[in-house]
Amino acid sequence: MNEIPTYKLPPSEIVALVDAEPTPYLALDPTWSMMALMHRPSLPSIEDIAREEARLAGLRIDPTSNGPSRVDYFTGFTLRSLKTGDDTVVTGLPEDVGLGQTHFSPDGSLIAFTVREKEGLSLWVAERKDGAARRLTDPELNGVFGVAFHWKPDCDGLVARLLPEDRRAPDKVTETPTGPVIQDNDGRTAPSRTYQDLLKNELDSAWFEHYATSQLALVTVDGNIQRVGDPKIITRAVPSPDGAYILLETIERPYSYLVPYYRFPESVDILSSSGDPVRRIADLPLAEEVPIAFDAVPTGPRGHEWRADADAELIWVEAQDGGDPAVETETRDIAFGLAPPFDGEPRELMRFGLRQMDFNWGRGDLALGRERWWKDRRVRISRFSPDGRDQDPTVVFDRSYEDRYSDPGSPLHRATERGTRVMWSNGDVLYLSGDGASAEGDRPFLDRYDLSSGEATRLMHSEPPVYERPIQIIDESGPVILVSREREDEPTNFYLRNLDEGTLREVTSFPHPYPSISEASKELIRYQREDGVQLTATLHTPPGYKDEDDPLPILFWAYPREFKSADAAGQVKDSPNRFARIAPHSPLYLLTQGYAVLDGPTMPIVGEGDDEANDTYVEQLVASAKAAIDEVVRLGVADRDRIAVGGHSYGAFMTANLLAHTDFFQAGIARSGAYNRTLTPFGFQSEERTIWQAPEVYSSMSPFMHADKIKAPLLLMHGEADNNPGTFPMQSERFYNALKGHGAVTRLVMLPHESHGYRARESILHMLYEMTRWMELYVKNST
């Protein structure tokens, strides 16, 4: 009789690391005088993860809360003054509830947040001055589409989405089908990538409407509620900066069985502040025919937003190439604006030769537009005047976004009194912050950048052995900057740095979360592939290890990435001065068991010019792995006969390919991967070609097709509820059967209720049990 499977525990040292108290999340208030410390719970239990959920139209919904089913809630809030360091605990909250979406009022006097109660989500506010919390609504918020409320700019209330008053579940009679489920196509070309959790029939459609339909409401800070208009499937409801209008986006039928909700027909409307219709901006059709190529977009208006530096001007972008990057055209996108009273024709703001990505708003005569093109990895940022005073945009930066070394940084923003965010600017001067990537590793910086001259003045540059990153300008007169600081052996904490005075004042003092491995060592290593491509990796060794000690068993944990430039592929992408924080999915837990870990060895797949990277995927992957092995063996850290390889998602795909095409490794660990590319025929990862255009590539890259060559033991793990496109659980199940059919040493572990990333404490601990067991069996004792 087979043993009933139960969750197992890894060694106690690993359990202690998993259960270490999480560091709070931080959020700054709009006046930069206070931060909220949002306290996180330990990992949720499998009982919590196993709660019922509805999987509809690409959404995963908690039927009880009518919000997302796979989100982490906070356990409490502490408000900390940046000036005095004094703390105010938010009080008056019910016990044993989850605190969710959190937003300060524009003036910083209140903090609004959701509370997950037994009956659903309710809306609360807490006073900044004393932390006293009060409830504004019953548990009737609709959080299916994420943020369920927005502050009005006058701070006297919020625009929220509530459940309809007469809401009822679909009739039971709808559970009896009235006929078959039918899809048809009249000859149109409509390729689609592999999405999960799609609607399957009319009953699914009815349940989608049940959960997604909401009632627009105006809620005052005193708890008065005014319901506005009829219930609809509202995806967004955002007040204008001056509070006079509301941008409303709604979904309508017909739905689709082929694409998620965000491709369903959509209407875009402007309402008055009281909810009266002002103008319909767009009626967008079902978008099933968007090309699968990168930089493809739906036709018609998209990306509607309020201009952050104006009272109430609506901005959007429209493709001029039919949304198809294969079309040759000088102008890809045009941005339009429409201001009150919204009864005229929209005006053109800016033309884009590449695909528009986003805007950075500053003031009436200053804004930045960002565009990019995936094929050649080009990004261009141009200055333009949104008020039309200067009709000719001026290019500020034009570069390859793969080239981290040339990244000039991104603008820092400040909050306006209305709650919008605009660039910190003084005349033509901006503040830019960036990673400061270099051959020595990342060294974050803050520059004062003059748009008129193109000259940058460096105000701050992280100096080893510290990794210091600018977060926000608190006071421009210093300037005084909120920064985060960490070292290899010290966790991240936050400080106020006065750049003129050179002073540094502590804001937080979070302790080392993993004292048991505080003596573990970390080193950024550099080496070279046989074709000359430069590679890097972070080498971790366990506590107590010395250079003169015998070589260790080691785990390589990696994730391949595609590049158009060998130079960009060889750039250093981390810093030796960063603290190694151990996430639930990290391989670093194995340091407690005497293993070395080579974390993030670069596995670049390069396709320069017209070459496609994946045409030589296997060859480049093998060459990168060989170079990494040779280097750690040369350093004397690793035993060539005790090396394992592992990865998650595309890293799992990499792992299976390396075991199929080399004999370098004693074992492999593959989590939540895709192994048969015929099941993702319309592209995967960065592959744009379909299987019909590149059948040899799909076959050669699929480890499923080479299962007979895998001789090293391979541990497969997968979440039973994986919703990531392409990595549905069948991928691991079929691959396991193929391996078993060829006599491979393999094990398949399916984690109940888990998605692409695992969340339950029981699941994480069992995953680590399986990994340590596999390493003990086939790597540590392989000789």
Side-chain angles (χ1 to χ4, degrees):
M1 181 176 179
N2 291 333
E3 178 185 356
I4 297 175
T6 57
Y7 289 106
K8 302 290 198 304
L9 295 176
S12 59
E13 302 93 334
I14 293 179
V15 175
L17 289 180
V18 171
D19 289 339
E21 183 177 353
T23 302
Y25 284 126
L26 304 183
L28 271 178
D29 83 311
T31 65
W32 316 294
S33 60
M34 181 184 67
M35 64 166 51
L37 284 71
M38 298 177 280
H39 305 289
R40 298 185 290 157
S42 299
L43 292 172
S45 69
I46 190 63
E47 181 181 10
D48 192 35
I49 299 302
R51 292 172 59 173
E52 179 188 1
E53 67 178 357
R55 302 172 186 175
L56 301 165
L59 294 167
R60 292 199 165 179
I61 301 166
D62 180 346
T64 301
S65 70
N66 217 92
S69 64
R70 294 176 180 267
V71 294
D72 294 323
Y73 290 90
F74 302 111
T75 57
F77 301 143
T78 301
L79 307 179
R80 177 167 296 176
S81 168
L82 293 185
K83 183 177 181 180
T84 66
D86 294 337
D87 285 345
T88 302
V89 176
V90 173
T91 59
L93 299 170
E95 294 183 358
D96 300 324
V97 295
L99 312 179
Q101 304 162 18
T102 307
H103 300 281
F104 282 100
S105 61
D107 64 2
S109 64
L110 294 165
I111 181 170
F113 52 93
T114 60
V115 173
R116 187 184 72 175
E117 304 183 41
K118 291 181 179 179
E119 300 82 9
L121 293 176
S122 55
L123 178 60
W124 290 62
V125 294
E127 298 279 352
R128 168 188 178 148
K129 58 185 179 182
D130 58 9
R134 61 180 183 274
R135 189 202 235 188
L136 299 186
T137 73
D138 290 332
E140 55 182 334
L141 280 185
N142 191 330
V144 162
F145 294 111
V147 178
F149 62 88
H150 288 274
W151 277 102
K152 295 170 62 179
D154 58 12
C155 304
D156 69 349
L158 306 100
V159 176
R161 282 172 282 161
L162 306 181
L163 301 177
E165 288 184 301
D166 58 351
R167 185 185 193 227
R168 68 173 192 169
D171 259 344
K172 286 289 183 181
V173 68
T174 60
E175 296 183 6
T176 302
T178 59
V181 177
I182 298 173
Q183 301 181 64
D184 58 32
N185 189 58
D186 59 4
R188 296 172 297 172
T189 301
S192 178
R193 291 184 181 264
T194 49
Y195 297 107
Q196 301 276 52
D197 301 336
L198 300 178
L199 300 180
K200 302 180 183 66
N201 50 45
E202 182 55 32
L203 180 59
D204 275 0
S205 298
W207 279 108
F208 170 68
E209 290 179 337
H210 172 74
Y211 291 118
T213 299
S214 59
Q215 171 73 62
L216 185 64
L218 307 178
V219 182
T220 71
V221 293
D222 297 325
N224 294 319
I225 299 174
Q226 177 189 347
R227 295 174 183 264
V228 175
D230 297 324
K232 298 178 181 180
I233 300 180
I234 302 172
T235 55
R236 290 179 72 210
V238 185
S240 60
D242 65 358
Y245 301 94
I246 297 172
L247 169 64
L248 187 73
E249 297 181 356
T250 57
I251 285 175
E252 301 172 353
R253 284 180 179 262
Y255 308 142
S256 172
Y257 299 154
L258 190 64
V259 293
Y261 76 91
Y262 49 82
R263 294 281 188 87
F264 291 179
E266 182 181 54
S267 293
V268 182
D269 292 278
I270 295 177
L271 309 180
S272 70
S273 60
S274 59
D276 297 323
V278 173
R279 177 169 175 174
R280 173 149 293 186
I281 299 297
D283 277 309
L284 303 173
L286 178 64
E288 284 187 339
E289 300 168 32
V290 179
I292 60 172
F294 294 97
D295 292 323
V297 295
T299 56
R302 71 178 195 276
H304 297 84
E305 63 175 289
W306 293 115
R307 190 175 134 191
D309 62 336
D311 288 340
E313 183 169 14
L314 189 65
I315 307 297
W316 66 86
V317 177
E318 294 188 33
Q320 305 300 299
D321 56 4
D324 187 352
V327 172
E328 295 293 333
T329 180
E330 185 175 328
T331 301
R332 290 282 170 191
D333 285 326
I334 298 179
F336 295 96
L338 187 63
F342 304 108
D343 56 0
E345 291 299 314
R347 65 188 183 93
E348 182 178 314
L349 269 70
M350 183 177 175
R351 290 177 173 249
F352 297 89
L354 312 178
R355 186 66 73 210
Q356 186 270 350
M357 298 303 295
D358 55 37
F359 295 107
N360 281 286
W361 305 105
R363 55 179 188 268
D365 64 341
L366 173 62
L368 300 179
R370 184 169 69 101
E371 54 189 319
R372 74 168 198 179
W373 200 241
W374 185 85
K375 270 293 186 189
D376 58 8
R377 309 305 198 265
R378 185 180 180 186
V379 62
R380 185 163 60 206
I381 297 175
S382 300
R383 171 185 180 165
F384 71 102
S385 174
D387 279 352
R389 297 171 219 174
D390 177 7
Q391 292 296 333
D392 297 323
T394 302
V395 174
V396 180
F397 301 116
D398 192 344
R399 49 182 289 274
S400 168
Y401 63 77
E402 279 189 342
D403 182 7
R404 300 182 73 246
Y405 291 178
S406 70
D407 185 359
S410 300
L412 287 184
H413 291 73
R414 62 179 179 85
T416 69
E417 61 183 11
R418 292 168 162 178
T420 61
R421 292 178 60 81
V422 297
M423 293 183 290
W424 270 102
S425 63
N426 184 358
D428 278 355
V429 173
L430 304 177
Y431 292 94
L432 303 181
S433 68
D435 291 334
S438 70
E440 289 72 44
D442 289 354
R443 293 178 56 198
F445 65 85
L446 177 66
D447 282 353
R448 185 182 285 123
Y449 184 83
D450 191 324
L451 287 166
S452 59
S453 67
E455 295 182 358
T457 302
R458 185 131 298 178
L459 302 178
M460 188 197 111
H461 200 189
S462 182
E463 294 290 342
V466 174
Y467 180 89
E468 182 172 339
R469 185 168 61 94
I471 305 297
Q472 181 59 275
I473 299 173
I474 303 301
D475 182 353
E476 195 174 13
S477 62
V480 177
I481 312 293
L482 179 69
V483 300
S484 67
R485 285 171 58 90
E486 60 191 278
R487 295 166 48 119
E488 177 189 346
D489 56 350
E490 293 180 5
T492 303
N493 273 291
F494 295 83
Y495 299 79
L496 290 177
R497 176 178 286 283
N498 188 309
L499 296 181
D500 281 351
E501 298 176 2
T503 57
L504 195 65
R505 182 164 66 81
E506 184 180 81
V507 177
T508 66
S509 54
F510 302 127
H512 197 302
Y514 326 115
S516 63
I517 57 169
S518 61
E519 300 301 318
S521 295
K522 168 188 169 185
E523 179 186 2
L524 183 67
I525 63 172
R526 302 170 179 83
Y527 49 100
Q528 185 172 291
R529 204 163 72 179
E530 60 185 10
D531 60 1
V533 174
Q534 298 296 313
L535 304 176
T536 59
T538 302
L539 177 61
H540 298 264
T541 51
Y545 175 79
K546 301 180 181 62
D547 290 344
E548 60 270 21
D549 290 347
D550 291 338
L552 298 169
I554 189 170
L555 172 65
F556 285 21
W557 196 262
Y559 190 99
R561 297 190 184 279
E562 297 81 2
F563 293 87
K564 291 303 293 180
S565 161
D567 288 342
Q571 293 181 352
V572 177
K573 298 171 183 64
D574 199 355
S575 167
N577 306 309
R578 298 209 68 174
F579 180 73
R581 189 161 291 278
I582 305 181
H585 299 87
S586 173
L588 298 184
Y589 294 101
L590 289 172
L591 293 173
T592 66
Q593 306 305 301
Y595 297 95
V597 175
L598 193 68
D599 196 19
T602 48
M603 299 279 181
I605 312 298
V606 183
E608 294 190 301
D610 294 330
D611 293 340
E612 294 285 352
N614 284 338
D615 288 350
T616 53
Y617 171 86
V618 170
E619 295 88 341
Q620 294 192 63
L621 193 69
V622 170
S624 295
K626 180 179 184 303
I629 291 172
D630 288 346
E631 181 63 13
V632 293
V633 171
R634 185 191 70 80
L635 291 172
V637 174
D639 180 346
R640 191 180 293 272
D641 294 325
R642 294 191 294 169
I643 301 178
V645 63
H648 190 95
S649 193
Y650 207 52
F653 175 74
M654 170 209 73
T655 297
N657 265 306
L658 284 172
L659 295 193
H661 298 289
T662 76
D663 58 0
F664 297 163
F665 301 98
Q666 279 60 58
I669 300 171
R671 298 191 322 223
S672 297
Y675 309 102
N676 183 352
R677 286 304 170 194
T678 69
L679 299 177
T680 56
F682 285 103
F684 58 90
Q685 205 69 9
S686 292
E687 179 58 65
E688 288 188 297
R689 296 169 295 180
T690 71
I691 193 173
W692 298 275
Q693 295 170 319
E696 299 85 1
V697 171
Y698 276 68
S699 177
S700 65
M701 287 183 68
S702 294
F704 182 87
M705 303 299 183
H706 308 280
D708 58 322
K709 300 176 184 176
I710 294 179
K711 306 305 178 185
L714 178 56
L715 171 63
L716 299 170
M717 287 185 275
H718 215 119
E720 284 186 348
D722 193 332
N723 66 336
N724 183 57
T727 57
F728 23 78
M730 180 177 66
Q731 287 274 8
S732 287
E733 294 166 344
R734 296 288 174 85
F735 191 40
Y736 170 76
N737 285 338
L739 292 169
K740 183 178 179 181
H742 287 91
V745 177
T746 185
R747 180 177 173 90
L748 174 62
V749 179
M750 303 297 291
L751 297 170
H753 303 290
E754 294 292 355
S755 185
H756 193 59
Y758 319 144
R759 296 179 62 237
R761 179 178 183 271
E762 292 86 345
S763 300
I764 297 296
L765 290 175
H766 189 90
M767 173 195 78
L768 293 168
Y769 159 79
E770 295 285 354
M771 290 176 64
T772 53
R773 173 183 176 273
W774 206 252
M775 294 290 289
E776 290 284 333
L777 284 174
Y778 300 112
V779 181
K780 180 178 283 188
N781 302 314
S782 66
T783 57

